[in-house]
Amino acid sequence: MPHTAEAPSRRAIASWCLYDWANSSYNTIITTFIFSVYFARGVVGDEVAGASRWSAALTVAGLLIALLSPVLGAVADRTGRRKPWMALFTALTVVFCAALWWVKPDPSHALFALVCVVIGTVAFELANVFYNASLTALAPPRMLGRISGWGWGIGYFGGLACLVVALFVFVKSPTPLFGLLDTVEQAPVRATALLAAAWYGLFALPFFLFVPDVPATGLGIRQAAREGMATLRRTLAETRKFRNTLRFLIASAIYRDGINTITAFGGIFAAHAFGMSFEEILLFAIALNVVAGVGAIGFAWVDDRMGAKPTILVSLIGLTAFGVPLLLATEKAWFWVLALGLGAFFGPAQAAGRSMMARLAPPGMVGEMFGLYSLTGRMAGFVGPLAFGLATALFESQRAGMASVVAFFVIGFGLMLTVREPAPGDANTVRQSAAA
């Protein structure tokens, strides 16, 4: 579908951005700062072994996402509407996130926890394929960078708000959940999974009520699946027609994998390398979300004025400049300073990547291209967790696992230099830029 020519309503923009606020609860609570640490420390009882098992689960999830996302994206392009797909995968994420409440601090619960995390993570990422693709139906080309950046920034603040509630109402409160929870079997920590599920489900509702959807084409699922698969096969067979887009997909997959590896294992690393307690990890996560949100929103205008490519390149320089000394830091104070500096560039790199993909996607192929965006991300994405897990196990050091991440930023930077970006706001150059 071509980019809309009219400015979207403020209510539609706010509702679209609020979905980022909603789904950030899953990333911050489950995969990064609370449940991942609880799994390693409380469930498995061994931080190194727990980190390795967690990385294996994320690797499996990444492979499943890589297989499913381009197929579903191509099918959605044929059926038109994206909201039903988003509703399905959002509901699955909420259900399996809530199920983590039953994971008690006992190694016998580890398998159940990992199954829930794999299914929840797959559903979460598939919902994001359709969410990202909905940007082009909402925003005119001249506003792609701003709205993408606003959404990403608001998402960080959503994670911040959810963590504040988790900290002061559940984990750190002397009377968890206003006295309704006891502290037996780490119930306050486990209950944060219920918080994340409720947060996601509640704040996702405005998206389904107020954000415009692509009109239905009238094709049934079976026919759409046949046509979508045929188109996807043709696209993959004719990648030479999309050389520039292919270079971007590879470059973004590599640097996104570096960012995702940090966010997935940042809490575990902080807990192990610097002896941070749950309370300290939550306070650190709150500070990190503040700077990341400010960075994403602040760079949103830079994206529309200067372009997504310069925004990405500057962000990768910043990530590398703070990442190298962070690996060498041994004092907690320096860890705080360098990690917060690093976090300021998380949002701009990812938000600009989303707007870049929206600009490069040819009309009628937005869902498929965002499916391929997810595919390439996951094809490289399992490498980060796998490398982290292998290096951690081999050297018995999570610092060694984190050391591989900086290379992802350097390689991604080099590849991004070869990508040609369409002129900001010029929808007519999309096809030519995709093939350049």
Side-chain angles (χ1 to χ4, degrees):
M1 178 179 178
H3 295 287
T4 180
E6 299 181 358
S9 71
R10 292 181 178 180
R11 184 173 68 175
I13 292 174
S15 299
W16 190 88
C17 292
L18 198 61
Y19 190 87
D20 248 320
W21 169 286
N23 69 14
S24 63
S25 63
Y26 184 83
N27 269 337
T28 54
I29 299 295
I30 304 302
T31 62
T32 306
F33 292 111
I34 296 184
F35 198 85
S36 60
V37 178
Y38 165 67
F39 176 81
R41 279 185 176 178
V43 180
V44 176
D46 182 313
E47 291 182 4
V48 173
S52 296
R53 293 186 192 181
W54 190 262
S55 70
L58 294 184
T59 300
V60 171
L63 292 173
L64 291 173
I65 294 161
L67 291 172
L68 294 173
S69 56
V71 175
L72 291 174
V75 171
D77 281 337
R78 297 302 170 274
T79 59
R81 298 183 65 200
R82 298 187 178 109
K83 282 187 180 180
W85 296 98
M86 278 189 65
L88 170 64
F89 293 120
T90 297
L92 284 173
T93 308
V94 168
V95 168
F96 282 94
C97 179
L100 293 172
W101 156 255
W102 284 279
V103 177
K104 296 182 179 180
D106 187 311
S108 65
H109 288 245
L111 179 59
F112 174 74
L114 293 178
V115 169
C116 289
V117 167
V118 168
I119 297 175
T121 301
V122 170
F124 174 86
E125 292 293 345
L126 292 179
N128 271 332
V129 170
F130 301 105
Y131 171 60
N132 290 336
S134 69
L135 177 62
T136 57
L138 174 74
R142 61 185 174 81
M143 295 181 68
L144 282 173
R146 270 169 288 178
I147 295 179
S148 179
W150 292 342
W152 217 286
I154 288 172
Y156 278 117
F157 285 112
L160 163 64
C162 193
L163 282 169
V164 168
V165 175
L167 178 61
F168 293 106
V169 179
F170 291 85
V171 177
K172 201 172 182 180
S173 172
T175 56
L177 197 60
F178 312 109
L180 298 176
L181 283 175
D182 57 35
T183 57
V184 176
E185 296 182 319
Q186 299 198 37
V189 176
R190 290 160 42 217
T192 59
L194 297 177
L195 169 66
W199 189 281
Y200 193 174
L202 176 63
F203 290 112
L205 288 177
F207 178 94
F208 298 103
L209 295 174
F210 303 121
V211 176
D213 200 358
V214 178
T217 62
L219 288 181
I221 294 295
R222 189 182 300 273
Q223 183 180 355
R226 286 197 298 267
E227 292 185 10
M229 288 295 294
T231 302
L232 178 60
R233 286 194 295 269
R234 186 165 58 251
T235 300
L236 293 174
E238 298 176 353
T239 51
R240 64 183 181 277
K241 294 183 178 180
F242 303 97
R243 294 186 299 273
N244 187 56
T245 301
L246 182 62
R247 289 196 296 271
F248 167 70
L249 288 171
I250 295 172
S252 69
I254 292 172
Y255 77 71
R256 282 183 290 143
D257 189 27
I259 295 173
N260 291 336
T261 301
I262 290 177
T263 56
F265 297 99
I268 295 175
F269 174 71
H272 178 71
F274 296 92
M276 286 189 174
S277 65
F278 273 121
E279 290 81 0
E280 287 179 305
I281 290 169
L282 284 177
L283 289 172
F284 168 69
I286 289 170
L288 186 64
N289 274 268
V290 170
V291 297
V294 170
I297 294 173
F299 272 85
W301 282 273
V302 176
D303 187 335
D304 280 335
R305 284 182 174 271
M306 298 181 60
K309 178 180 175 178
T311 304
I312 294 169
L313 292 175
V314 169
S315 298
L316 293 177
I317 291 173
L319 288 167
T320 304
F322 282 97
V324 172
L326 178 61
L327 290 172
L328 304 176
T330 57
E331 297 181 8
K332 190 181 294 187
W334 276 111
F335 170 80
W336 273 80
V337 171
L338 294 169
L340 293 181
L342 188 79
F345 295 97
F346 283 175
Q350 296 179 96
R354 179 164 63 187
S355 65
M356 182 78 161
M357 186 71 266
R359 291 186 176 108
L360 288 172
M365 297 178 65
V366 177
E368 180 180 343
M369 285 298 169
F370 270 106
L372 291 173
Y373 185 67
S374 180
L375 167 65
T376 52
R378 288 302 168 176
M379 285 179 66
F382 76 89
V383 176
L386 180 61
F388 175 87
L390 290 176
T392 298
L394 180 62
F395 295 99
E396 296 185 350
S397 167
Q398 292 183 22
R399 197 180 294 271
M402 281 293 182
S404 63
V405 173
V406 175
F408 289 72
F409 300 144
V410 174
I411 296 170
F413 179 89
L415 291 175
M416 274 301 302
L417 291 174
T418 70
V419 177
R420 178 172 176 251
E421 179 181 10
D426 188 359
N428 295 323
T429 63
V430 168
R431 287 189 180 274
Q432 293 92 328
S433 285

